[in-house]
Amino acid sequence: MGLNSSPLWGERNGAAPGDETPPGHATLPVVAEPAVLPGGNRVLVVDDDVIDRELTTRCLRKAWPGAKPLVLDSAEGGLEAVRLLRKERYALLILDWNMPGHDGAGVINDLLQLEIRIPVVVLSGEWREDIRLDWAQLGAAYLSKNSLTPELFRQVIVEVMRTAATSSCSARR
């Protein structure tokens, strides 16, 4: 299930093409960086659906809590995502769960095997309870595509990055 049914997505909910802020939503203020992580302001968005990927990117641009401009890369699937994650350093991974072939679970398993530590926000139309994952251990968070808003996205991003930064600091001690 895609972002199409989310009540706050731009043109699909009555906003004119090119509108930056959906009706009834204020632009979020820029705040200080939530964490200092390798990868800084670079984010990887992974989704096999081109429309969902674009909608996620738009929402992410509004939600980004950092003072530095967001740098976005995208991947159409899990294998491409893992290839990019091996090559580049990212501050955050936004990961669709249901993808053909190498899905979200495959990407998470690869990250664990490759010992790549990165904050992860899983986006899915599935219920969180249906995804068998130890969210806290992975430093990951779940968001439903069907209720995604810039405000909620921002809260989750700040929390998952703060958790990752805390884990990173304690691991170095």
Side-chain angles (χ1 to χ4, degrees):
M1 177 178 280
L3 292 169
N4 312 352
S5 58
S6 178
L8 301 174
W9 286 99
E11 292 112 53
R12 293 190 181 193
N13 194 33
D19 278 359
E20 289 299 312
T21 305
H25 293 276
T27 302
L28 297 171
V30 173
V31 296
E33 294 294 326
V36 178
L37 295 171
N41 58 333
R42 188 176 207 97
V43 176
L44 178 60
V45 176
V46 185
D47 200 313
D48 61 306
D49 184 286
V50 68
I51 294 172
D52 281 1
R53 201 168 49 247
E54 177 60 30
L55 293 173
T56 298
T57 298
R58 285 184 193 176
C59 189
L60 180 57
R61 286 189 190 286
K62 294 174 192 168
W64 184 244
K68 293 180 185 175
L70 183 61
V71 177
L72 283 170
D73 290 337
S74 64
E76 294 180 16
L79 292 176
E80 182 183 4
V82 173
R83 183 181 56 76
L84 288 170
L85 288 160
R86 291 178 82 158
K87 189 171 90 170
E88 297 287 339
R89 295 191 101 175
Y90 291 95
L92 180 66
L93 171 63
I94 308 297
L95 181 64
D96 181 27
W97 193 252
N98 288 322
M99 296 182 287
H102 208 64
D103 62 5
V107 173
I108 297 280
N109 286 333
D110 287 349
L111 293 177
L112 293 171
Q113 287 181 349
L114 296 168
E115 296 183 1
I116 296 174
R117 304 267 184 235
I118 182 171
V120 179
V121 176
V122 172
L123 291 178
S124 181
E126 281 189 47
W127 292 103
R128 179 179 181 194
E129 295 77 24
D130 293 339
I131 300 173
R132 306 271 183 246
L133 217 64
D134 185 346
W135 299 99
Q137 180 187 4
L138 292 172
Y142 165 89
L143 277 174
S144 170
K145 286 184 176 184
N146 301 320
S147 60
L148 188 62
T149 65
E151 295 84 0
L152 182 58
F153 210 2
R154 174 180 277 225
Q155 288 174 349
V156 170
I157 289 168
V158 168
E159 184 59 34
V160 76
M161 290 179 81
R162 186 175 291 138
T163 300
T166 303
S167 298
S168 177
C169 289
S170 62
R172 286 187 221 148
R173 289 182 186 155

